[in-house]
């Protein structure tokens, strides 16, 4: 969620708050233990129902959601859609024992960040930890870049210096108000020139 996600510009060592949703409490505990052991920055919150998970997304900062696919009240993709409908914009990893290319394809097409099939052994937790870390780092980087571009845009708009922005072909794509005043032309007259 835009307003409730953790600090998007946080450094690599910052906490990574993971919401793990699965209807099997024992699996939730095991996964949380492994994730927190593998990456000391992980803070795992576990929920056994989609309703509780949606409440958690609204009440606490979350950096990434890890969800099972096959749950009693709904499936992971419906949960993803309900979360997105509420404005939750954090990475979403489907971590499920229900494996098929069809489910993986559907998950990615509806906006899941990644899809991991549960397997036996402890290696699956290493894979999950790496995928969660990568998804969160990319999400934070995109958010930081967008914030930086917004600050630059505001600076240019408010600058008393005339500024003209060009594209790769040296066509004018933007002119700030100071440049309009200096040149005596409206931005609309200069664009593309």
């Amino acid at each position: 969620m835009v307003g409730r996600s953790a600090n998007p510009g946080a450094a690599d060592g910052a906490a990574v708050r993971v919401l793990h949703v699965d209807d099997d409490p024992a699996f939730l505990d095991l996964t949380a233990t492994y994730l927190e052991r593998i990456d000391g920055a992980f803070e795992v919150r576990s929920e056994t129902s989609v309703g509780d998970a949606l409440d958690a997304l609204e009440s606490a900062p979350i950096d990434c959601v890890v969800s099972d696919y096959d749950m009693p009240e709904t499936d992971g993709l419906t949960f993803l859609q309900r979360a997105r409908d509420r404005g939750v914009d954090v990475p979403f990893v489907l971590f499920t024992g229900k494996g098929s290319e069809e489910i993986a394809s559907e998950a990615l097409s509806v906006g899941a960040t990644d899809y991991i099939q549960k397997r036996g052994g402890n290696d699956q937790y290493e894979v999950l930890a790496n995928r969660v870390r990568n998804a969160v780092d990319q999400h934070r980087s995109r958010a930081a870049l967008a914030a930086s571009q917004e600050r630059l845009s505001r600076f240019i708009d408010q600058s008393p210096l005339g500024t003209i922005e060009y594209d790769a072909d040296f066509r004018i794509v933007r002119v700030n108000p100071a440049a309009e005043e200096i040149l005596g032309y409206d931005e609309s007259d200069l664009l593309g020139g």
Side-chain angles (χ1 to χ4, degrees):
M1 171 162 36
V2 175
R4 296 295 310 159
S5 65
N7 181 4
D12 288 336
V16 175
R17 296 171 190 93
V18 178
L19 174 62
H20 186 194
V21 185
D22 196 300
D23 59 322
D24 181 352
F27 185 73
L28 285 172
D29 289 342
L30 185 63
T31 303
T33 299
Y34 272 103
L35 288 178
E36 290 172 350
R37 187 178 300 154
I38 290 167
D39 189 327
F42 283 1
E43 296 173 5
V44 181
R45 177 173 178 170
S46 302
E47 296 294 346
T48 56
S49 78
V50 169
D52 290 342
L54 289 168
D55 291 343
L57 286 169
E58 290 184 355
S59 65
I62 300 295
D63 295 300
C64 184
V65 175
V66 174
S67 177
D68 190 15
Y69 174 78
D70 195 16
M71 295 181 281
E73 61 186 78
T74 190
D75 64 55
L77 299 182
T78 303
F79 169 44
L80 168 61
Q81 190 57 53
R82 289 175 62 190
R84 295 293 191 240
D85 289 346
R86 292 182 179 204
V88 175
D89 183 28
V90 296
F92 190 100
V93 177
L94 202 61
F95 184 45
T96 182
K98 189 121 178 158
S100 77
E101 287 187 28
E102 181 180 318
I103 292 173
S105 176
E106 184 180 356
L108 296 175
S109 71
V110 298
T113 308
D114 209 340
Y115 172 91
I116 304 170
Q117 188 171 353
K118 294 176 186 173
R119 303 179 301 234
N122 300 335
D123 292 347
Q124 67 181 338
Y125 302 109
E126 286 280 347
V127 170
L128 178 61
N130 287 334
R131 301 265 184 98
V132 167
R133 171 55 81 176
N134 289 339
V136 169
D137 288 349
Q138 289 176 8
H139 182 75
R140 287 177 174 173
S141 293
R142 281 191 299 272
L145 177 60
S148 177
Q149 289 172 330
E150 177 63 27
R151 284 191 304 274
L152 178 61
S153 181
R154 278 197 308 265
F155 173 76
I156 290 172
D157 285 342
Q158 296 172 0
S159 174
L161 302 174
T163 305
I164 300 173
E165 186 177 336
Y166 296 91
D167 64 12
D169 296 322
F170 294 103
R171 286 187 299 261
I172 297 173
V173 294
R174 182 175 172 193
V175 177
N176 75 347
E180 288 179 319
E181 187 175 321
I182 291 167
L183 297 172
Y185 292 97
D186 290 335
E187 180 181 49
S188 59
D189 297 331
L190 298 169
L191 291 179

